[in-house]
Amino acid sequence: MTSTVQDADPAQLDFANPQVMECPYPIYESLREKAPVYFAEKLGFWLITRYDDCLNAIRDPQVFSSKMGFRPGSVPDEVMRIYNEEGFGDLPDTLVSNDPPSHTRYRKLVDRAFTAGRVRQMEDYMVVVVRELIDAFIEKGRLSVMQDFAVPVPMYVIADQLGVPRSHRDRFKEWSDSAVAPLGLLLSDERKIECAKSAVEMQHYFVEVFADRRANPRDDMISDLVTKEIDGAPLSIPELLSILNQLLVAGNETTTSAIAASIVRLANDPELVELLAKEPGKCDNFAEEILRHESPVQGLFRMTTADVEVAGVTIPKGSLVNLRYGSANRDERKYECPEAFNVARANASSHLAFGAGIHHCIGAQLARREIAIAVRELTARLKDIRLVEADKISHAPSVILRALNEFEIEFSKR
């Protein structure tokens, strides 16, 4: 059975359309009501847009496989040449794009680095990072949000956890951007080639770090990875690079987006700024609500291993399916007045911004704390937060991510 809805305009699902990119939520709402399981012919994949349907799919990895979980679309021959001749070839599936039992072995290895206890131990350190960044701009009364705050907060934290110098932040950011850009499915061939060159540069950098940590282990995540074994054997270089690439991306891209979205929200709601300044304990739930409301990861892909019926629609075996978290997190069936931002929302933390089940984001607890601490420290020290050129706020084109482009704020000190 295919969708019976005739009035859902496929053109509205053009994620390269700036209007859709800036505000996809009306089309999400239309799809949830009229075609919750929808084949977007132009895009070549299915979308699942309701909360319960997305959650059920996440919890059924046998049918909704994460193999090819990130499908980059067409790949120029030059990209493959760069990876195969200059880099380490096609890296193995380890975490995000893997299924049990292989996924389970890798996941257990990495989970040890992101336990709730370890995150709690890092809290004081994260506060120091955020306060140092605020100290650097607070006297100016103006902030370039992405460059001077939203990017460095998680980048410094993950760099320190990996055990690599903060001074290399610009290189890490470039590598991270190049890693996530192809996931958006909207790149030119020229940009795909640039991203491949950047990825190979990152590979060679970290291969040197791996060798150093094997010879001189430290108390950091890379040392943990290079000294651990799976099935009695150490991880290979391609396995290490695959895991490292995902940790670097997961450790900063989505958190950067959530922190930036938080600042836009604060600039648009002065009363909320004052509320959080007076009641900083509410910053924890603020973090959950911004993750629900903005969903830095708008959707991830799965591949069906069998015909499967969802919401009365049969999705054929071998179909590419996008679980649209950005829509699920605003599902009226799950959340009351979902379009409203409600810092007191009781079930905000049930969002799917970090996925769920076996693929629940490894760094979810770390990201939550980074967002909450950033908002708490900002509202404690800034007031009268205002967007500079609010009409120019924009998001980078991507099917997967909801990332803000650079923008500025002005403010007063408390």
Side-chain angles (χ1 to χ4, degrees), residues 175-389:
W175 292 335
S176 182
D177 288 347
S178 295
V180 300
L183 309 181
L185 310 182
L186 302 174
L187 291 191
S188 65
D189 285 354
E190 291 75 15
R191 178 60 179 142
K192 290 177 183 177
I193 291 169
E194 290 176 1
C195 290
K197 291 178 179 178
S198 179
V200 168
E201 179 184 328
M202 183 184 78
Q203 289 176 359
H204 287 286
Y205 173 92
F206 279 107
V207 165
E208 292 184 10
V209 177
F210 297 155
D212 175 72
R213 293 303 189 276
R214 283 198 173 101
N216 307 288
R218 305 180 190 175
D219 183 20
D220 59 43
M221 286 169 53
I222 291 180
S223 296
D224 288 346
L225 291 172
V226 300
T227 56
K228 295 294 188 295
E229 296 183 345
I230 290 182
D231 298 333
L235 293 173
S236 67
I237 292 295
E239 286 175 319
L240 286 168
L241 289 172
S242 174
I243 292 172
L244 197 286
N245 184 62
Q246 293 172 78
L247 291 179
L248 183 62
V249 172
N252 73 83
E253 287 295 336
T254 54
T255 310
T256 286
S257 298
I259 290 174
S262 298
I263 293 174
V264 172
R265 172 59 49 184
L266 295 174
N268 287 327
D269 194 342
E271 292 183 2
L272 179 59
V273 174
E274 295 310 305
L275 173 65
L276 296 177
K278 293 175 182 175
E279 300 183 52
K282 285 184 163 47
C283 291
D284 290 350
N285 209 57
F286 176 101
E288 302 294 351
E289 181 70 345
I290 202 71
L291 288 163
R292 180 199 71 83
H293 198 259
E294 288 300 318
S295 301
V297 176
Q298 287 281 293
L300 291 180
F301 286 107
R302 298 291 192 271
M303 186 72 71
T304 55
T305 62
D307 290 356
V308 58
E309 185 173 308
V310 180
V313 177
T314 297
I315 303 175
K317 177 182 178 180
S319 295
L320 191 64
V321 179
N322 190 261
L323 307 180
R324 207 66 192 163
Y325 301 154
S327 173
N329 286 338
R330 295 197 183 199
D331 190 342
E332 303 81 358
R333 295 153 194 80
K334 180 69 176 179
Y335 301 103
E336 183 179 356
C337 300
E339 299 302 315
F341 186 93
N342 180 3
V343 73
R345 189 179 298 278
N347 65 340
S349 64
S350 64
H351 62 75
L352 299 179
F354 294 123
I358 63 170
H359 284 290
H360 186 258
C361 177
I362 295 168
Q365 292 303 319
L366 180 62
R368 284 183 163 103
R369 297 313 306 144
E370 288 174 318
I371 298 163
I373 289 168
V375 171
R376 187 181 74 205
E377 295 300 317
L378 285 171
T379 53
R381 299 179 66 182
L382 311 185
K383 62 180 181 178
D384 303 325
I385 300 171
R386 308 172 298 280
L387 294 172
V388 176
E389 297 185 304

Side-chain angles (χ1 to χ4, degrees), residues 114-129:
F114 287 101
T115 63
R118 186 164 187 170
V119 171
R120 283 194 297 272
Q121 291 172 3
M122 293 169 60
E123 179 117 1
D124 290 344
Y125 160 73
M126 287 187 277
V127 171
V128 169
V129 168

Side-chain angles (χ1 to χ4, degrees), residues 134-142 381-382 411 413:
I134 295 175
D135 288 343
F137 68 73
I138 194 166
E139 297 300 329
K140 302 173 187 175
R142 191 169 176 130
R381 299 179 66 182
L382 311 185
F411 56 86
K413 291 195 305 179

Side-chain angles (χ1 to χ4, degrees), residues 24 36 52 78 146 232 258 261:
D52 286 345
E78 176 63 8
M146 306 305 291

